[in-house]
Amino acid sequence: LEFRRVLFRSETDIAITEIGGTVGDIESLPFLEAIRQIPLEVGRENCMFIHLTLVPYLKAAGELKTKPTQHSVGILRQIGIQPDILVCRTERALDVSDREKIALFCNVPLDCVIEERDKDFSIYEVPLSLQSNRIDELVLKRFGLQAGPADLDGWHDILHRLRNPEHEVSIALVGKYAEHRDAYKSIYEALDHGGIAHKTQVRVQPIKSEDIEREGAERLLAGFDGLIVPGGFGERGIEGKVEAISFARERGLPFLGICLGMQCAVIDVARNRAGLAGAHSTEFAKNTPHPVICLMDEQQGVVDKGGTMRLGAQPCVLTEGTKSATAYGAARISERHRHRYEFNHKYRAQLEQAGLVIAGTSPDGSLVEIVELADHPWFVAVQFHPEFKSKPTAAHPLFAGLVAAAVERHAGSAWVTEA
């Protein structure tokens, strides 16, 4: 139950923690048991349970069904958790009788049954909807806190920017799992955040990297304003990613590579600018003559997978004058990692001579975290996952930078195709 102790290592007076998953799933049980114990440690008056639940609409019956909510709350109560507020996600409005039934059978006051209807326009309407249903007042009342009027001007501004964009760009997402939108959910959201920052409608087109291999980058990527190549595992579709990055490099197409996308960018530069024929990652080609991406030293001989990877927040020192340093506006950053393979330092000098810029490293300089091309409008690739730190109110600098470069390209800035 280390998780329970981690929850309260915050320096703030109030900690808000989301427990994902579905009540009743075996995977959720350790987390639910952890939060069940919290009120015993901090006092029930100092803890509040808010339960998000589904109230489905059955078209054939023409009515909303509250039974799933009753069962969900019933399971929580069996293990010792009594929700204080129920946020009811629904397609249709809850009438008074629905709310009364939920309140009665879930043992929750009527005013603590909050309707949250699905939003037609944007998920970022949800905070305004919750506030209009007085959830903020209920939380303040529960803890005996005093506060002035809610200030949601920032959220109103976000929705205004989304509804009234000044620009529109199209960005291709070339990935191994492009057919599954949720596989790259954080990427899509971070691109939206970049669009909000620049008052831009960002249209993202997922493209399978295997399709690039079959049909060619020229056919599938022509006409886009930007390219993003996200992470992944396994050999399938790797050459399609490399080809897509090569296309972006040659055509001046704004590009952002993430994790495996960064490693594929290094492979492309090694093969096509440094003259290292057959350059590859030892993850996919163990006998490559030029292992520009290889297993980290501490990973050599590791048999168990999963938590033995390089995980979590890691510091990074940025190189002054690079696009990344300009975007971040800082000399030192911290970003989240999830990988085993790294840039091979043995090839650093050759790749730098070929034009690759090492824009960020670990503090001791042993690990390359960011690479760029100086002679390109926006060619940035990172070993970490910046999408996890992006917010609608504060777009991640690299996603904002990609969108800005895409806007400039869409506006018609000239670029000479690389020879």
Side-chain angles (χ1 to χ4, degrees):
L1 294 177
E2 177 66 19
F3 172 77
R4 188 179 75 253
R5 291 188 287 273
V6 171
L7 292 180
F8 288 92
R9 288 176 183 167
S10 170
E11 296 179 358
T12 60
D13 293 328
I14 296 178
I16 300 176
T17 302
E18 176 188 6
I19 307 297
T22 303
V23 172
D25 284 353
I26 191 170
E27 296 92 340
S28 301
L29 290 178
F31 301 96
L32 295 179
E33 172 60 20
I35 64 173
R36 183 196 67 80
Q37 296 181 19
I38 288 175
L40 301 177
E41 296 183 5
V42 302
R44 186 66 180 88
E45 72 282 2
N46 295 316
C47 182
M48 188 174 198
F49 292 113
I50 300 177
H51 182 40
L52 173 65
T53 179
L54 177 66
V55 182
Y57 175 77
L58 296 185
K59 185 176 180 180
E63 62 180 355
L64 292 165
K65 291 295 184 180
T66 65
K67 193 62 72 174
T69 294
Q70 295 177 46
H71 280 297
S72 179
V73 173
I75 293 173
L76 286 176
R77 293 174 66 187
Q78 286 177 9
I79 64 176
I81 297 174
Q82 170 61 58
D84 299 295
I85 294 178
L86 295 178
V87 178
C88 302
R89 182 173 179 179
T90 175
E91 297 178 26
R92 305 291 182 94
L94 295 174
D95 59 29
V96 175
S97 63
D98 293 323
R99 296 179 64 239
E100 288 177 340
K101 185 187 296 184
I102 292 172
L104 177 63
F105 293 109
C106 294
N107 198 36
V108 173
L110 181 61
D111 63 347
C112 291
V113 179
I114 303 296
E115 174 190 293
E116 184 50 61
R117 294 179 65 180
D118 290 348
K119 302 299 181 254
D120 295 328
F121 175 66
S122 170
I123 192 175
Y124 299 127
E125 294 178 276
V126 170
L128 300 179
S129 175
L130 289 173
Q131 194 273 331
S132 68
N133 284 309
R134 300 177 48 249
I135 193 171
D136 53 335
E137 295 178 22
L138 293 171
V139 173
L140 291 171
K141 180 180 178 181
R142 169 57 188 268
F143 292 123
L145 300 174
Q146 300 295 322
D151 181 6
L152 292 175
D153 289 346
W155 285 105
H156 286 288
D157 181 55
I158 287 172
L159 290 173
H160 176 77
R161 288 167 176 257
L162 288 171
R163 290 193 176 103
N164 304 280
E166 297 178 1
H167 314 283
E168 181 176 322
V169 296
S170 60
I171 293 180
L173 185 152
V174 175
K176 297 160 67 73
Y177 326 112
E179 68 272 27
H180 303 296
R181 183 178 175 86
D182 277 3
Y184 302 117
K185 179 64 174 175
S186 298
I187 300 287
Y188 285 104
E189 292 298 322
L191 286 169
D192 283 344
H193 302 164
I196 291 170
H198 293 287
K199 299 181 179 180
T200 300
Q201 172 70 56
V202 179
R203 301 196 181 280
V204 184
Q205 177 62 52
I207 299 173
K208 295 181 182 179
S209 54
E210 290 171 289
D211 290 344
I212 298 285
E213 294 175 354
R214 286 190 294 265
E215 303 179 43
E218 178 71 42
R219 182 177 183 278
L220 295 181
L221 297 181
F224 283 100
D225 303 307
L227 169 68
I228 185 165
V229 177
F233 293 90
E235 186 177 359
R236 178 174 60 85
I238 292 299
E239 291 302 326
K241 288 192 172 192
V242 174
E243 184 179 345
I245 294 168
S246 181
F247 177 89
R249 174 179 52 77
E250 294 172 352
R251 305 303 176 88
L253 184 67
F255 160 71
L256 175 62
I258 296 175
C259 197
L260 180 58
M262 178 265 207
Q263 296 175 3
C264 289
V266 172
I267 292 169
D268 166 58
V269 172
R271 291 177 181 176
N272 300 305
R273 292 188 67 164
L276 300 174
H280 220 309
S281 166
T282 55
E283 180 180 4
F284 315 118
K286 296 188 181 302
N287 297 319
T288 173
H290 298 293
V292 292
I293 302 296
C294 62
L295 202 61
M296 295 185 293
D297 290 341
E298 59 267 30
Q299 293 291 329
Q300 299 290 344
V302 172
V303 177
D304 295 330
K305 303 300 181 182
T308 59
M309 300 164 61
R310 188 179 185 220
L311 294 168
Q314 303 288 343
C316 172
V317 177
L318 302 180
T319 303
E320 186 178 355
T322 58
K323 294 180 177 68
S324 298
T326 300
Y328 277 102
R332 187 184 178 101
I333 60 173
S334 176
E335 293 282 3
R336 290 169 61 180
H337 292 247
R338 188 174 186 271
H339 63 99
R340 295 182 187 283
Y341 290 78
E342 290 278 1
F343 181 102
N344 189 341
H345 256 274
K346 295 179 181 178
Y347 289 91
R348 177 167 178 169
Q350 286 176 271
L351 292 172
E352 286 181 318
Q353 290 175 2
L356 193 70
V357 176
I358 306 304
T361 66
S362 57
D364 63 2
S366 64
L367 300 175
V368 172
E369 304 280 32
I370 308 175
V371 297
E372 299 180 1
L373 289 179
D375 57 347
H376 192 284
W378 181 267
F379 189 103
V380 178
V382 300
Q383 183 61 79
F384 46 80
H385 289 270
E387 67 272 23
F388 295 149
K389 295 184 70 174
S390 189
K391 302 177 182 179
T393 54
H396 191 284
L398 298 183
F399 283 91
L402 174 66
V403 172
V407 169
E408 186 174 350
R409 179 182 178 85
H410 188 83
S413 58
W415 172 262
V416 178
T417 301
E418 182 178 313

